[in-house]
Each structure stands twice: as structure tokens, then as C-alpha cells.
Amino acid sequence: MAKVMAVNAGSSSLKFKLYEMPEEKVLCSGIAERIGHEDGIFGIKWAGQQDKKVVPILDHAEAVRLLVEALIEKGIIKSMDEISAVGHRIVQGGKYFSKSELFTKDTEDKIESLIPLAPLHNKAHLVGFRAFKKILPDVTSVAVFDTAFHQTMEPEDYVFPIPYEYTEKYDCRRYGAHGTSHKYLSEMGLKYLPGVEHPRIISCHIGSGASITAIKDGACVATSMGLTPLGGIMMGTRTGDLDPSVMNYLCKCTGKSVEEMYQIFNKESGLLGVSGVSNDSRDVSQAVKEGNPRAILTDKLFVRRIADFIGQYFVRLGGADLIIFSAGIGENAPEYRQKIIDEIAPALGVEIDEELNASLRGKEALLSTPNSKIKVALIPTDEEVMIARDTYAYYLKK
Ligand code: ADP
């Protein structure tokens, strides 16, 4: 038995979940938010209880100190020695990592060298790692990469049609993201495909950030996000794929710089940008019900872009055995699942139990009817448990 902490450090937040392994029992979870502020927020849930306080959290080290203090104070652990290993989510593993890796100096250096590919994320992950290292210097630390699962793509799936010297010299290519989630979903999805020799799965991780992945025999063959998580389908605030000349044209029209427009593509586009209502699908859905024309367009655009990718991946996989819906919208918004199915049904012969779908939120279920040509399932994702599993595996090897 071992206690393993799964950590997701962002630029101003640090999420954590402590597991008892190998049982995968969650001992506590929580988040330190507003790191860098006098009025930081530290919240923790354990054994059916929860606590939240506003305290100064000036840096990540302070967030980790608060976490350790809370673990002992709440009686979740008696001493720090009980924590056997810490797994850190790392968004960008570039070309270096096709699986999770023990944190060594080399791992750290490589993550650092990848900062230009994920400036906000990788930098914050390293800050988080170093903060834990200070307080738990001897613990097994593992890096779990969002990009690792996508490293099985073939060059024709990840190379961009740009001068090849740029691909080589700057490692400018598709890396994808949400790989830990897609891997989890594809493993969980297998239970719906007994006897299928070469399972073909299209997993739709549709949250605020969203991506779709084509998986064959348990390996990623194609994924919608690109060099960064800006690519692919339309998201809460991100554009997804665009004709690259949109950047050039809009910079000329508005007088904004490339950097400013890039921020707009990341933070002010997608559901928010088109609807003018919100980046949250719940607000957009409500506005649709009220007859707001831009919300109606947003809704249709969002659904169509997802359907287009499902169609593309159906071809890429030579058919499909299972479509999985997951993440914030995929798990909790039955109306979007229904609209996506309605959009792909005429071509792909997919059919779901509409009543069951309408009633389901956040709970795993097979949604398709026996008549459906492709099975459809709702599977809640769990990236943290994947981090804990990989981290525990390294702990056992040590
Ligand atoms: P991320 O991890 O990328 O931040 P999530 O997977 O948590 O995103 O998804 C968040 C989004 O999911 C919200 O912005 C909202 O659009 C949608 N969402 C969350 N809960 C619900 C719900 N109960 N009903 C409908 N949509 C929801």
C-alpha cells in the first residue's frame, strides 16, 4: 500500500488528489487558487468533509506548505513520510516523451526546453514540481504528459504542410493534448467491445478545452489539437482550426499585433466569441432557448465542427466501433450529445436511446441502441487516477 499524490499545477492554481494505491481510494482532493495573491483560496475535501479558507498564497511553495499542513491537521496522514510518490501533470512533453517518466535532472531539463511550446503550462508545472521537491525531497516524482499518448501518430497525421525545415528545426508539428484522458477513455471503453479484435474508438473529450482522438488497438492514430491546445474543434474560448490567413487578415484590419490576436484566438473566441454570451455551454444553451440568434449559430457551429471531426476519424480508422463522450460538456450536457448524434446519424447509422441520454449526467452508460451501427457511450474521464497509476508503477520499480 502507498499514498500517491496526483498534482496539476497551473500558473495560479494547484489541484491535488491523494490516493491510497493500489486500491485507488481517494483520501482527499482540493485546490489552491489565486496563487500569487494575499487573498488566495485553499480548499480541501476529505472523508465526506470539506474546508475552504482565504489566506495569503504568495507562491506555489506556500500552496504546497498549506496542503501538507492540512493533510496532517485533518488527520488524513500522520506524517509526511506517508506520502510515497507524487505524480505531476505536464501538458507538453514534445517529441521526447511517449510515456510517463521519472523526474530526473534530464526530465526537468527537457520539460524546461519545451516551455516555448506551452509557455503558461510547462513553466507552472515546473514551479509546482520544485515546490513539492523542496518539501518532499526524497519522494518518487513522476511526470505524466498530456502529449505522450499521441506520440504513436504517423508522420502524415502529425506533420504540418509547412517547409519541412521548420518541422525539423523547430519541432513544429501536431502534438495534441488531453492524452491522459483519451488513454483512460479508450481503456474504459473496451468493456463495451467484447470480442472486437481491433477496436476502433473515437473519443470526444468535450469540456471547456476540447479534443477528439481516433484510437486503434489502444493507440492514438490522430487527434484534433495541434501544436498547442488551440487547434481542432471549437472550444469555450478557443477558435480551434482556422485558415491561417485569418490571423494575417485580422491583424491588418484591426491594427492589433500577432501576439494580441493570438490571445484573442485563445481567450476571446470559441463559444464566447461567437455567441457574445458566455464561454459556458450552459449559458449558451439557455440563450438558445430564449431565441438568441447568435447563440443559435454558436450552437450549430460547435456541433458541426465536432461532427466533422468524427466523420474524418471514421474514415481515418476505416470505420468505428465506439464513440465516447466525456468531460464537462460531454458528460453533463445531454442536448449537445443528442445534437452531435443527430448530425452524424444520417451518414454513420448511429442511434442512441434518447430518453436515457436526456436523463444522464456524469454517469457512465451505454447510450446506443442495439440497432446502432456504432456503439456510443458516456464515460466520465479521470485524468488524476491515470496520473496516480503511472506514478505508483514507478514507485513499485524503485
Ligand atoms: P476544463 O477541464 O477544460 O476546464 P471541463 O471538462 O471541466 O473543462 O468542462 C467545463 C465546461 O463544461 C463548462 O464550461 C461548461 O461549458 C460545461 N459544463 C460543466 N457542467 C455542466 C453541466 N452541468 N451542464 C452543462 N454543461 C456543463
Side-chain angles (χ1 to χ4, degrees):
M1 273 202 328
K3 292 188 175 68
V4 172
M5 182 77 82
V7 175
N8 183 358
S11 50
S12 67
S13 71
L14 190 145
K15 286 188 206 152
F16 56 88
K17 212 166 191 177
L18 183 65
Y19 289 89
E20 182 88 61
M21 298 298 281
E23 298 85 347
E24 300 183 356
K25 182 180 171 208
V26 177
L27 299 176
C28 76
S29 65
I31 181 167
E33 293 170 273
R34 293 182 56 77
I35 296 178
H37 293 82
E38 286 290 342
D39 56 344
I41 305 167
F42 182 83
I44 183 163
K45 289 183 185 170
W46 77 103
Q49 303 177 66
Q50 52 181 313
D51 192 14
K52 203 172 194 175
K53 58 184 177 185
V54 177
V55 281
I57 313 181
L58 295 184
D59 54 24
H60 286 71
E62 178 59 12
V64 177
R65 200 196 61 72
L66 282 167
L67 165 58
V68 167
E69 188 181 271
L71 292 177
I72 293 175
E73 189 188 293
K74 318 276 182 217
I76 301 162
I77 57 171
K78 287 193 192 69
S79 86
M80 291 310 298
D81 310 339
E82 282 181 46
I83 297 180
S84 307
V86 181
H88 296 267
R89 177 201 181 203
I90 311 289
V91 161
Q92 182 55 267
K95 63 180 177 186
Y96 300 119
F97 301 102
S98 55
K99 61 177 183 55
S100 299
E101 199 55 73
L102 208 55
F103 247 108
T104 60
K105 178 79 175 68
D106 183 54
T107 310
E108 213 180 322
D109 289 347
K110 283 181 175 143
I111 295 171
E112 181 123 39
S113 76
L114 292 165
I115 287 177
L117 285 176
L120 289 180
H121 289 106
N122 272 31
K123 210 184 232 171
H125 300 327
L126 281 176
V127 170
F129 162 71
R130 286 167 189 154
F132 269 94
K133 187 89 190 149
K134 228 182 206 171
I135 293 181
L136 297 167
D138 300 322
V139 93
T140 303
S141 297
V142 176
V144 180
F145 300 93
D146 265 24
T147 48
F149 183 59
H150 302 310
Q151 283 292 302
T152 46
M153 283 189 286
E154 293 176 357
E156 52 271 48
D157 288 298
Y158 69 73
V159 171
F160 293 133
I162 51 174
Y164 194 64
E165 61 181 284
Y166 295 159
T167 308
E168 286 190 311
K169 195 169 169 195
Y170 304 118
D171 293 322
C172 182
R173 46 158 286 186
R174 181 187 307 282
Y175 293 103
H178 291 147
T180 309
S181 172
H182 289 295
K183 183 169 185 236
Y184 175 82
L185 296 172
S186 65
E187 289 175 7
M188 293 289 288
L190 286 182
K191 68 163 93 59
Y192 299 107
L193 305 173
V196 176
E197 218 170 301
H198 296 290
R200 298 159 301 180
I201 297 176
I202 299 173
S203 66
C204 307
H205 176 117
I206 313 174
S208 179
S211 66
I212 303 190
T213 295
I215 300 151
K216 198 172 197 170
D217 290 324
C220 166
V221 299
T223 194
S224 62
M225 281 177 166
L227 173 72
T228 72
L230 182 59
I233 57 175
M234 174 180 179
M235 297 171 232
T237 61
R238 294 177 223 158
T239 56
D241 289 351
L242 289 177
D243 171 355
S245 39
V246 172
M247 170 67 93
N248 187 288
Y249 178 69
L250 285 182
C251 285
K252 282 192 182 138
C253 290
T254 61
K256 290 190 193 301
S257 67
V258 167
E259 185 53 37
E260 284 172 315
M261 196 52 70
Y262 180 62
Q263 292 301 325
I264 290 169
F265 287 175
N266 265 292
K267 295 182 180 151
E268 295 174 39
S269 301
L271 299 181
L272 173 66
V274 182
S275 72
V277 173
S278 169
N279 64 337
D280 192 307
S281 68
R282 285 165 284 199
D283 302 330
V284 176
S285 278
Q286 183 55 36
V288 169
K289 283 185 199 129
E290 289 160 7
N292 177 328
R294 266 174 59 189
I296 293 169
L297 171 64
T298 305
D299 203 73
K300 287 184 174 165
L301 187 55
F302 184 65
V303 167
R304 181 142 305 162
R305 290 193 147 220
I306 294 170
D308 285 350
F309 262 99
I310 294 175
Q312 183 184 327
Y313 288 167
F314 180 84
V315 173
R316 176 66 184 84
L317 289 166
D321 303 298
L322 176 67
I323 296 171
I324 301 172
F325 286 108
S326 195
I329 297 172
E331 290 170 29
N332 299 301
E335 68 276 20
Y336 281 109
R337 291 193 298 261
Q338 185 66 56
K339 284 174 189 170
I340 294 161
I341 294 298
D342 290 347
E343 187 91 3
I344 62 173
L348 303 185
V350 183
E351 190 182 277
I352 59 168
D353 179 332
E354 298 190 4
E355 261 180 53
L356 173 66
N357 177 55
S359 68
L360 264 185
R361 281 172 185 77
K363 251 178 50 195
E364 181 167 341
L366 186 70
L367 298 173
S368 47
T369 64
N371 283 335
S372 185
K373 289 205 178 127
I374 306 171
K375 287 185 174 170
V376 180
L378 188 175
I379 304 179
T381 195
D382 193 342
E383 289 156 291
E384 291 87 359
V385 83
M386 292 298 271
I387 295 175
R389 282 177 196 170
D390 282 7
T391 305
Y392 181 62
Y394 270 105
Y395 167 72
L396 288 181
K397 275 191 229 163
K398 250 190 125 179

